[in-house]
Structure formats: structure tokens, C-alpha cells
Amino acid sequence: MTLEQTDLQRTEIFKVLSDINRLRIIRVLHHAQREMTCGEIGEKLNISKSTVSYHFKMLRQVGLTNTRRASQSKYLSLNDQTFNDFLPGFLDSL
Amino acid sequence: MTLEQTDLQRTEIFKVLSDINRLRIIRVLHHAQREMTCGEIGEKLNISKSTVSYHFKMLRQVGLTNTRRASQSKYLSLNDQTFNDFLPGFLDSL
DNA sequence: TCGATTGTTTTATAACATTAGAACTAATAG
DNA sequence: CTATTAGTTCTAATGTTATAAAACAATCGA
């Protein structure tokens, strides 16, 4: 992994974290300490389901979250590994 | 300081860090361990002076850098305090 | 199978970000 | 005062991002 590649990965992660709604999603998940669904988070944060789906995708694409399908629902959880690798201590500061 | 205000401050900082050129500027400054001028950094990173000036402004606005005028030149340095407050350990990971 | 539930993708739109050239401002040296 | 140096702001072009409604897809219960 070159320096430049790591830089690009870093900027991608920062880009994902630079949106207030995605930060809210992360906080909600962190404080809940459990998986949550798209609908559940959308309702809590008052955003449309398509918008939540869009943000979920971005979070997943940079490895900040994991997803698990179960029946109709899709459960989201934080990927602690990525947070620890790139932003040690960040989650606990939320 | 409310949670929401801190969130906005955080997303602003992440936004500033989500650009590859600004990340490069930070790395160059960190490794140089000294102040550097706009022209010096622009030359090193091969970006126009107006673009460097634009990025300098963003960095300063969120408190990631300090500036000092001396004669015609303007010297930039990292504000370790802000990095430590919001991203402890980040600079050393660069 | 049908209808309900849940989430995704498409589409359109509006807002914002990045870039560099040109014009401008500030400081200094001669 | 004038020319030079260093940086800023304006402008226009180009590209990116966030949003939600609408259409679509997948799953499940009856």
C-alpha cells in the first residue's frame, strides 16, 4: 500500500464523515450498541428512506459499517476495526 | 457547547481533511517540522498559487493551521492543539 | 399468488467544491 | 515613485454531492 493510496483511502473516509447526517447515523448506532435498520434510523433522524439508503451505501463503501440481511430488513452496525485503524478513539469521543 | 455544535465543528474539520491536496499540505508541513510559505508549498505540490491560497484559507478557518506574516511572505504552520483535540494521534500516523 | 413491508435505484434538481487565469492588494527594495 | 515579490480575490468552467419522489426489486405472511 503506497502513501498515495493510503491518502486516498483517508480522504474518502473523511469525505464520508464530513456529512452531518452520516455523523448522526454513526452516533445513533454507537450509542444504541446494536444493529439498526434503514427505516429505524430514517425515522429517528427524520430523513427519507432513499436518502438513508444513499448514506448507508457510502458508509459501507469505505468500510465504516457492516450490513446483515434478515428477512425484509437490513441491519447496519459499525465496523469498529476501520474506526480503530483510521480514527482511534473517535467513536468514544462521540 | 451543544452536541450539535460540536458535530458541525467536526464535520467542518472532516470536510477540510477530505481533499487530497489539503492532506498533502498537512503532511508536508508535518514532516518539515517548520513553517512554510504559500509559494514554497505550491511549488512542492505543483498547484497554482491561487489554489494553494484557497486551501490555506480553509485550513485556517477550521483552526487546523496558524499563519504569521513576515515581510511579503506568509508562513503557515500546523495547529497541534486542534489536531490533538479532534484527531489525537492523527498527525503521527501520516 | 397477492398484498404489505423494506430497501434500492433512477431521475431531476439545487447547492456546493475545486481549479487556474486575471486582476488586485500589500509590502519591500532600489 | 516604480518595479518586484508574495499572496488574495474575482470569475468562469467543470465536477461533485445531497435530497426526495417515483419506479423498481426482494422478501415474507396470509
Side-chain angles (χ1 to χ4, degrees), chain A residues 3-4 7-8 10-11 14-15 17-20 23-24 27 87 90 93-94, chain B residues 3-4 7-8 10-11 14-15 17-20 23-24 27 87 90 93-94:
Chain A
L3 204 66
E4 189 67 6
D7 269 7
L8 285 171
R10 259 194 268 260
T11 52
F14 285 137
K15 198 166 290 175
L17 293 172
S18 74
D19 180 88
I20 188 81
L23 193 59
R24 286 185 185 124
R27 166 171 301 112
L87 299 156
F90 173 70
S93 78
L94 280 182
Chain B
L3 203 66
E4 189 67 7
D7 269 6
L8 285 172
R10 259 195 267 261
T11 53
F14 284 137
K15 196 166 291 175
L17 294 172
S18 73
D19 179 88
I20 189 80
L23 194 58
R24 287 186 185 121
R27 165 170 302 110
L87 299 157
F90 174 72
S93 78
L94 280 182

Side-chain angles (χ1 to χ4, degrees), chain B residues 14-40:
Chain B
F14 284 137
K15 196 166 291 175
V16 168
L17 294 172
S18 73
D19 179 88
I20 189 80
N21 279 328
R22 285 189 293 266
L23 194 58
R24 287 186 185 121
I25 291 172
I26 290 168
R27 165 170 302 110
V28 163
L29 279 167
H30 179 61
H31 285 159
Q33 287 290 331
R34 61 175 176 84
E35 301 172 311
M36 292 178 84
T37 65
C38 187
E40 202 176 356

